């Protein structure tokens, strides 16, 4: 069964460093999302991406964040200068069509020291 | 704006007992509703979804949920709990199935006692 994959599973970085979280959505899916879950809190929407552009973003998704679909298969989330409060589990999700279900990847745990 | 409230951050039941996880939503238009499960150190897996068809929705692993518009609720139930049901459960709402962001509740951690 097709699945969303994410790498790495765990990333440790120093405050102020740039990180790139990678996702491979399900092939032929059209809509892509990033969510995050701070430890012990609910899953929060960050950004949605469709037709090679951001379709919606939350207040969390400030100028430090960016997304890209560089090669038609990967979907990346970049944090330019990480802060301690960026420590969280980051989930990627993809959807095939407007009436389909969001499928989530296993997540990348980001730890900022 | 949509929102989801899950009553009870922790629920503990005995193996074989009824599982009831509560979810209430707020939405200005008819919503699409979802329950996701998160096992330890894993991602989110869809349990079931309501998309304006039947109000009683059956999902995987013996779970079901009933959409009650008058109560703005979408509670998740399972007649008989199994040890493997121990996990975190999230209720979520969206205005458009699939294409729009999901708004999640706080989550309910389900513990199963032997």
């Amino acid at each position: 069964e097709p699945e969303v994959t994410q790498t790495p599973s765990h990333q440790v970085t120093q405050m102020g460093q740039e990180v790139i979280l990678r996702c491979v959505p399900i092939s032929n899916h059209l809509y892509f999302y990033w969510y995050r879950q701070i430890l012990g809190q609910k899953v929060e929407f960050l950004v949605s991406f469709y037709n090679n552009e951001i379709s919606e973003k939350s207040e969390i998704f400030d100028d430090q964040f960016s997304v890209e679909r560089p090669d038609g298969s990967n979907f990346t989330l970049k944090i330019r200068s990480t802060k301690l409060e960026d420590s969280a589990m980051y989930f990627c999700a993809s959807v095939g069509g407007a009436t389909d279900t969001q499928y989530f990847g296993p997540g990348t745990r980001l730890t900022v020291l | 704006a949509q929102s989801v409230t899950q009553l009870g951050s922790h629920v503990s039941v005995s193996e074989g007992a009824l599982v009831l996880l509560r979810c209430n939503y707020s939405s200005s238009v008819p919503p699409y509703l979802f329950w996701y499960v998160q096992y330890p150190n894993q991602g989110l897996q869809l349990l079931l979804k309501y998309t304006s068809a039947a109000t009683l929705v059956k999902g995987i692993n013996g779970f079901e949920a009933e959409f009650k518009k008058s109560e703005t609720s979408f509670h998740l139930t399972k007649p008989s709990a199994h040890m493997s049901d121990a996990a975190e459960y999230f209720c979520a709402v969206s205005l458009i199935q699939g294409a729009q962001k999901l708004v999640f509740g706080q989550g309910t951690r389900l513990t199963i006692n032997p």
Side-chain angles (χ1 to χ4, degrees):
Chain A
E1 184 177 331
E3 58 182 17
V4 177
T5 59
Q6 291 184 242
T7 54
S9 57
H10 192 188
Q11 172 103 37
V12 181
T13 189
Q14 296 292 323
M15 190 169 55
Q17 294 297 303
E18 174 184 286
V19 294
I20 297 176
L21 309 183
R22 291 182 167 80
C23 168
V24 179
I26 294 173
S27 176
N28 79 1
H29 276 196
L30 301 174
Y31 301 84
F32 312 105
Y33 306 81
W34 283 101
Y35 294 83
R36 80 171 185 190
Q37 183 185 27
I38 295 173
L39 188 64
Q41 298 186 23
K42 65 180 176 181
V43 178
E44 302 173 285
F45 167 78
L46 289 178
V47 64
S48 58
F49 192 84
Y50 170 71
N51 201 26
N52 284 320
E53 60 183 24
I54 291 174
S55 48
E56 186 177 358
K57 59 184 180 180
S58 71
E59 292 177 353
I60 304 167
F61 195 88
D62 61 22
D63 292 344
Q64 292 300 311
F65 291 88
S66 62
V67 289
E68 195 177 33
R69 190 158 158 78
D71 55 14
S73 62
N74 290 283
F75 179 51
T76 62
L77 174 69
K78 182 193 289 186
I79 309 175
R80 289 189 183 82
S81 179
T82 50
K83 307 183 187 75
L84 294 176
E85 54 265 36
D86 293 328
S87 294
M89 181 75 89
Y90 289 80
F91 292 106
C92 173
S94 70
V95 177
T99 59
D100 204 351
T101 298
Q102 287 193 31
Y103 291 90
F104 284 77
T108 293
R109 181 168 297 284
L110 176 64
T111 302
V112 182
L113 303 176
Chain B
Q2 312 128 282
S3 66
V4 174
T5 301
Q6 291 183 241
L7 299 176
S9 58
H10 290 87
V11 170
S12 181
V13 302
S14 298
E15 191 174 17
L18 171 72
V19 174
L20 170 60
L21 304 182
R22 299 177 187 274
C23 172
N24 288 88
Y25 70 90
S26 172
S27 177
S28 56
V29 297
Y32 292 95
L33 293 159
F34 307 81
W35 276 99
Y36 281 85
V37 60
Q38 183 181 30
Y39 297 103
N41 301 314
Q42 294 187 30
L44 299 168
Q45 180 182 3
L46 181 70
L47 270 180
L48 49 80
K49 60 185 179 183
Y50 166 76
T51 58
S52 75
T55 56
L56 182 62
V57 181
K58 294 189 183 299
I60 62 171
N61 301 337
F63 284 93
E64 62 183 37
E66 185 172 8
F67 172 70
K68 292 187 177 180
K69 184 179 178 181
S70 60
E71 299 177 9
T72 60
S73 69
F74 190 58
H75 301 332
L76 182 71
T77 60
K78 181 173 180 177
S80 177
H82 192 272
M83 296 298 291
S84 60
D85 295 326
E88 186 96 18
Y89 291 80
F90 292 94
C91 182
V93 63
S94 77
L95 291 181
I96 304 170
Q97 182 186 6
Q100 208 196 51
K101 67 182 181 188
L102 293 173
V103 175
F104 285 86
Q106 292 284 114
T108 297
R109 181 167 299 279
L110 177 65
T111 302
I112 311 296
N113 302 313

